[in-house]
Amino acid sequence: MHDDLLAQLAAHRRTLAQQREQRAKFGAGHVPPQIDHTIAEACAAIAQIKAQLRAAGVDVDDAPGDNQAPAGGGTDLAARAVARLAELPEEEVPAPAPLPAPHRMPLRHNPSFVGRAHELTTIAAALKAGRATAITTGIGGAGKTQLAAEFVHRYGQFFLGGVFWISFADPAGIATEIAACGGAGALELYTDAAGLTLAEQVARVRQAWAAPLPRLLVFDNCDDVPGFTAEQLLSEYLPHGGGCRVLVTSRRGQWHRSPALLQYRLDTLPRDESIALLRGYRPDLGAADAAALAELLGDLPLALSLAGSYLEYYADEAFGAPGEYISTLQRQLLGHRSLQGAGAGPSLTSHEQNVRATFQLSYDRLDRADPTDTLAIAALARAACFAPGEAFPRALLLATLGAASDDEASADALHRLVALGLLEPAADASLRIHQLVSAFARATVADAAAQPAAEAALTDEANSRVDAGYPARLLPILAHARQAQARADARADAHAAALANALARAEVALMNYAAARPYLERALAIREQALGPAHPTTATSLNNLASLLHDQGDFAAARPLYERALAIHDQALGPAHPTTATSLNNLASLLHDQGDFAAARPYLERALAIHDQVLGPAHPTTAQSLNNLAELFRDQGDFATARPLYDRVLAITEQALGPAHPDTAQSLNNLAALLYAQGDFAAARPYLERALAIHEQALGPAHPDTATSLNNLALLLQAQGDFAAARPYLERALAIREQALGPAHPDTATSLNNLALLLKNQGDFNAARPLYERALAIHDQALGPAHPTTATSLNNLAGLLYAQGDFNAARPLYERALAIHEQALGPGHPTTAAIRANLAALNAQASPGGDHRPPTTDH
């Protein structure tokens, strides 16, 4: 055991040294937050392991650096976090306090919450003592989520590593919920610009959760759902090791026993707490009336809150008198029970009858002759179309009413629902509807326009947020869009297809390609059936699905979809329409990637002619068409034809967007790439240096696009033989990509390949090999074993092994790379031919008297 701890100590010290080395590569004020955060976690782990070893009588030294940390991070945060958790009270409930940064908490503190002191202190003691998980179970309406929220707002202050609320209500959305914990305003492990896939984001968050820094996680509504049990969901996402404590809410009553697990069944409120809850709404409520009402409602918190909200809102009305409310409620309950006895409708449990009765009384007070109440009823019906229990933007609900955020009448209607307890306020001007209230509203409120209105608003909002270019902004609406799409799907109409397409665009923006594809396929199937196979909107679906397949490297499947979309646009919109030009560019891009330059060229020329004619010769979209054609000429080796096109692209972007715009930097990079291909390194260098300066100024020194500029400049210096100057640029690019994109991102693999190539060219094969191997592992995992980029990594590693004389190890890598390229790009593609030549050279070299050296195709 001691040896294991000593090995862990050494590993954390290596991590600490690596992170400090990376930190030094960033200028003052530009260090990515994750670096200091990782330093903090490593220091916390070192302190914890050393304490364990010393407690066991092992003499362990304080190594230089164990206690050296940047101001505000490292040891300082680790020590403060451990000390703060030790201060968590076990016998008294602390007052609510602001949550530490970082945190993700969608529910604000409920000022009406009362009681539950025993439950709160029991959970607190278990989590403080090291029990990793506490589960509160109970019937719907018992207040499980409210208890968890109260725990967060009272005890979250003692978890300096952060508090993170994750909804498990929608299994398809759990990964997205976890990913949100790593974004802006939370752990800040990555930015929208990083381009990480959803899986990569989740991996980075879970890696952070595995660190020893104390954190509080809440898994809300972890229930049995079709295809998954609650225990399976918890087992899949529960952190293993590390400093996280987890609080779970669930309706599931039975869980496998474990010493690390506290199971606490949340019952109805004690009578005195029920009375206190009611008096929080109506302080004048007499003891007898309060006790009678609590008895009628079975001491169920949700029913009591609905009743209290009603009594408070209608305090000045005769029907709002406690005695009158109790009498009406008794009649309502008797009516429900008589219907149940008559066999009408599904059987309801007593607590469901209590909630339904209180809901019915509040709902019946909404007067359809009153304009505000009419809007309130419509808003309630639309809120019930969203995912129950999940916060949704207030503006989104207003949009379902066709109202703007400053519409006073609609705002009054929402206030009416909140005052009656039918909607609950959440954080950041959001609202939520309880699962039981949602179910009863859908069963009770007759409004055929509600679901279509909710679907239309979600479709528009998802598309708008995708177009804005900030994927994280999609997270608050994603669960609602998924639920609405599931309900709409059976109709298979144009609205259902539009929602599926919008949801797919959202998933793509979040780099969740696996989730996007079935939505795109469903949207296409619906549109083909509902609109016809030759409709422009059908072509849009064809193009969207083809684009996804193209990005995933499945060129063979993408091509017929692009071709069919182009034929439809040509026929329906005309040969000179900008949308037709887009289809031309898309198909040409695929042909270009396949190496079929001759087939791609006429499509690109035609697209350019359309943009030139319709948008004008100085439009940025025209510049993009010029750039696409220039790239084709460059890759064909026709540099003389490509050069004036690149010059024109740069002139347009400088004039239209400005000399310091990131798109201008891209134009500079492209022109430099042409000069590089011509071997004119001296002419290319100032363009690359200017592009780097723009990216650093406009996007920041730690942005992935800055890393691309650093990489390009380094490759130029390396081509000039200046390895010493190139290496720090490559190392900085790698550091940026590892921090911004993650250690398993394809762009990180590109940096690994480039640095490995430099080391290989310097003759340091032993240092290069693990970088090539790591790049190959990333491509294999992220892109798949049959992707052309994976084949390039195979070729690169094979080339190194060949240079080392290890022919037997190199040969199967070349063979696998050749098979991938022949399948994906065809036997005549230039890269396929290069790899075939490499393999032939190896076989010749391995034969007696052979003396051939293979070309390299490092990227």
Side-chain angles (χ1 to χ4, degrees):
M1 177 179 176
H2 295 163
D3 289 343
D4 185 47
L5 287 173
L6 287 168
Q8 291 179 38
L9 179 62
H12 285 300
R13 282 173 170 165
R14 285 195 297 272
T15 297
L16 199 55
Q18 291 167 358
Q19 290 299 305
R20 289 201 180 104
E21 183 181 342
Q22 287 205 358
R23 193 180 197 279
K25 295 174 183 174
F26 295 92
H30 299 301
V31 179
Q34 176 56 15
I35 289 185
D36 282 349
H37 203 75
T38 303
I39 290 174
E41 292 173 336
C43 287
I46 289 169
Q48 184 181 50
I49 292 170
K50 287 196 299 189
Q52 287 178 270
L53 287 167
R54 286 166 179 162
V58 179
D59 187 17
V60 57
D61 293 333
D62 290 319
D66 282 0
N67 300 310
Q68 297 173 7
T75 302
D76 180 41
L77 175 59
R80 287 189 293 113
V82 172
R84 185 60 174 154
L85 182 59
E87 296 171 356
L88 184 148
E90 299 180 48
E91 297 181 359
E92 294 183 1
V93 178
L99 296 177
H103 68 263
R104 180 178 186 259
M105 179 57 189
L107 303 185
R108 64 186 191 182
H109 181 246
N110 179 6
S112 300
F113 189 92
V114 299
R116 302 294 199 191
H118 176 70
E119 290 86 344
L120 291 168
T121 55
T122 300
I123 294 168
L127 295 182
K128 182 180 179 181
R131 266 183 155 166
T133 312
I135 300 178
T136 57
T137 65
I139 58 176
K144 300 179 295 296
T145 294
Q146 285 295 332
L147 178 69
E150 189 71 8
F151 187 89
V152 165
H153 287 293
R154 290 182 181 272
Y155 291 92
Q157 59 186 295
F158 298 99
F159 294 87
L160 297 190
V163 177
F164 303 95
W165 186 282
I166 300 99
S167 171
F168 272 53
D170 174 19
I174 295 174
T176 306
E177 289 276 303
I178 293 174
C181 298
L187 286 171
E188 297 189 349
L189 303 176
Y190 36 75
T191 64
D192 280 349
L196 273 71
T197 65
L198 183 66
E200 290 166 341
Q201 293 176 21
V202 170
R204 296 202 70 181
V205 172
R206 297 186 71 175
Q207 182 181 21
W209 284 352
L213 205 62
R215 293 189 171 96
L216 175 63
L217 312 181
V218 180
F219 293 171
D220 187 38
N221 288 321
C222 183
D223 298 321
D224 293 341
V225 293
F228 300 94
T229 67
E231 288 188 321
Q232 287 173 328
L233 291 173
L234 182 60
S235 175
E236 181 174 353
Y237 292 105
L238 191 68
H240 298 290
C244 288
R245 271 64 166 181
V246 184
L247 176 58
V248 182
T249 72
S250 177
R251 293 190 185 189
R252 182 184 177 93
Q254 296 295 323
W255 295 73
H256 291 309
R257 295 187 180 277
S258 166
L261 178 67
L262 167 71
Q263 298 184 53
Y264 194 100
R265 179 170 178 79
L266 193 64
D267 209 340
T268 55
L269 285 172
R271 181 56 50 82
D272 60 334
E273 292 181 6
S274 295
I275 292 172
L277 176 57
L278 289 168
R279 283 179 168 167
Y281 292 96
R282 281 288 294 268
D284 63 333
L285 192 61
D289 285 339
L293 187 51
E295 176 70 24
L296 265 179
L297 298 178
D299 296 298
L300 192 71
L302 176 59
L304 292 165
S305 294
L306 286 166
S309 297
Y310 180 102
L311 292 172
E312 180 182 39
Y313 191 78
Y314 294 116
D316 296 329
E317 306 291 345
F319 54 78
E324 181 63 25
Y325 182 81
I326 290 171
S327 297
T328 307
L329 183 62
Q330 286 174 326
R331 290 193 297 272
Q332 191 74 249
L333 285 169
L334 284 172
H336 284 312
R337 286 162 187 158
S338 65
L339 284 174
Q340 293 282 295
S347 177
L348 299 178
T349 64
S350 61
H351 80 275
E352 288 174 326
Q353 291 175 8
N354 294 339
V355 175
R356 187 182 186 95
T358 53
F359 163 77
Q360 192 75 50
L361 287 184
S362 297
Y363 175 71
D364 287 346
R365 283 299 166 192
L366 297 174
D367 183 1
R368 291 186 178 275
D370 180 279
T372 300
D373 281 0
T374 299
L375 275 173
I377 294 169
L380 181 62
R382 285 151 179 77
C385 297
F386 295 153
E390 300 296 310
F392 53 82
R394 178 177 176 274
L396 182 63
L397 182 55
L398 288 171
T400 67
L401 298 170
S405 58
D406 58 354
D407 185 303
E408 291 186 15
S410 297
D412 286 345
L414 299 193
H415 287 312
R416 183 79 52 92
L417 295 174
V418 171
L420 288 171
L422 300 175
L423 291 182
E424 303 171 21
D428 301 323
S430 294
L431 299 166
R432 65 193 292 268
I433 185 169
H434 192 280
Q435 289 180 337
L436 292 180
V437 175
S438 175
F440 295 142
R442 290 183 66 80
T444 304
V445 184
D447 187 345
Q451 188 68 33
E455 291 171 13
L458 284 162
T459 300
D460 291 345
E461 190 67 14
N463 283 325
S464 174
R465 294 189 183 209
V466 170
D467 293 340
Y470 295 95
R473 294 181 184 175
L474 289 159
L475 299 177
I477 68 167
L478 210 55
H480 307 292
R482 287 195 187 106
Q483 170 139 322
Q485 193 278 330
R487 288 173 175 162
D489 188 71
R491 296 198 317 270
D493 58 14
H495 299 296
L499 181 53
N501 187 73
L503 188 50
R505 294 187 71 215
E507 298 286 12
V508 168
L510 291 163
M511 306 292 284
N512 191 10
Y513 297 138
R517 182 166 177 171
Y519 289 127
L520 289 174
E521 291 172 337
R522 182 58 179 154
L524 174 59
I526 293 172
R527 285 169 169 170
E528 284 182 315
Q529 181 66 32
L531 303 175
H535 194 280
T537 305
T538 302
T540 298
S541 272
L542 287 162
N543 179 75
N544 292 346
L545 181 55
S547 179
L548 179 69
L549 295 168
H550 187 173
D551 288 343
Q552 291 181 303
D554 193 350
F555 301 152
R559 181 167 178 171
L561 303 183
Y562 276 141
E563 290 173 335
R564 188 176 154 205
L566 174 59
I568 294 170
H569 285 143
D570 230 349
Q571 179 67 31
L573 303 178
H577 195 280
T579 302
T580 304
T582 299
S583 272
L584 289 162
N585 263 324
N586 291 342
L587 179 55
S589 174
L590 179 72
L591 294 167
H592 186 164
D593 287 345
Q594 289 182 302
D596 194 348
F597 302 140
R601 180 171 173 173
Y603 292 119
L604 291 175
E605 290 174 333
R606 188 179 153 201
L608 174 59
I610 294 170
H611 286 142
D612 224 356
Q613 178 66 31
V614 177
L615 303 177
H619 194 280
T621 303
T622 304
Q624 185 58 54
S625 272
L626 283 163
N627 184 78
N628 294 344
L629 185 57
E631 284 185 349
L632 181 78
F633 288 129
R634 184 195 70 194
D635 290 347
Q636 285 181 299
D638 188 353
F639 303 141
T641 304
R643 176 67 189 260
L645 301 183
Y646 276 130
D647 286 334
R648 187 178 157 197
V649 170
L650 178 58
I652 293 171
T653 53
E654 284 186 315
Q655 179 64 32
L657 304 175
H661 194 278
D663 285 357
T664 301
Q666 185 59 51
S667 294
L668 290 162
N669 264 326
N670 293 342
L671 181 52
L674 174 71
L675 295 167
Y676 179 98
Q678 289 179 291
D680 193 350
F681 303 142
R685 184 165 179 170
Y687 291 115
L688 291 175
E689 289 173 335
R690 186 180 156 202
L692 174 59
I694 293 171
H695 280 143
E696 287 188 314
Q697 180 64 32
L699 304 176
H703 193 278
D705 287 354
T706 303
T708 299
S709 276
L710 287 163
N711 178 76
N712 293 344
L713 184 54
L715 293 179
L716 178 77
L717 293 167
Q718 186 177 174
Q720 290 178 304
D722 193 350
F723 299 143
R727 184 163 179 170
Y729 287 118
L730 289 175
E731 289 174 336
R732 186 179 158 204
L734 176 58
I736 292 171
R737 284 170 167 168
E738 284 186 315
Q739 291 298 327
L741 307 178
H745 194 277
D747 287 355
T748 302
T750 297
S751 275
L752 289 163
N753 261 326
N754 292 338
L755 182 55
L757 175 61
L758 182 141
L759 294 167
K760 176 186 169 187
N761 288 340
Q762 288 181 303
D764 192 351
F765 297 157
N766 290 334
R769 181 166 177 171
L771 302 184
Y772 276 138
E773 289 173 336
R774 186 177 156 205
L776 173 58
I778 293 170
H779 286 141
D780 226 351
Q781 178 65 30
L783 303 178
H787 196 282
T789 304
T790 304
T792 299
S793 269
L794 287 161
N795 178 76
N796 294 344
L797 179 56
L800 178 73
L801 295 168
Y802 177 30
Q804 289 180 296
D806 192 349
F807 303 147
N808 289 334
R811 183 178 288 107
L813 301 183
Y814 276 139
E815 290 171 343
R816 183 180 157 202
L818 178 60
I820 294 171
H821 272 300
E822 285 184 328
Q823 177 66 29
L825 304 179
H829 192 278
T831 306
T832 307
I835 295 175
R836 189 180 296 111
N838 291 348
L839 180 57
L842 180 144
N843 288 329
Q845 177 74 5
S847 65
D851 185 22
H852 301 273
R853 306 296 295 177
T856 61
T857 56
D858 289 69
H859 296 298

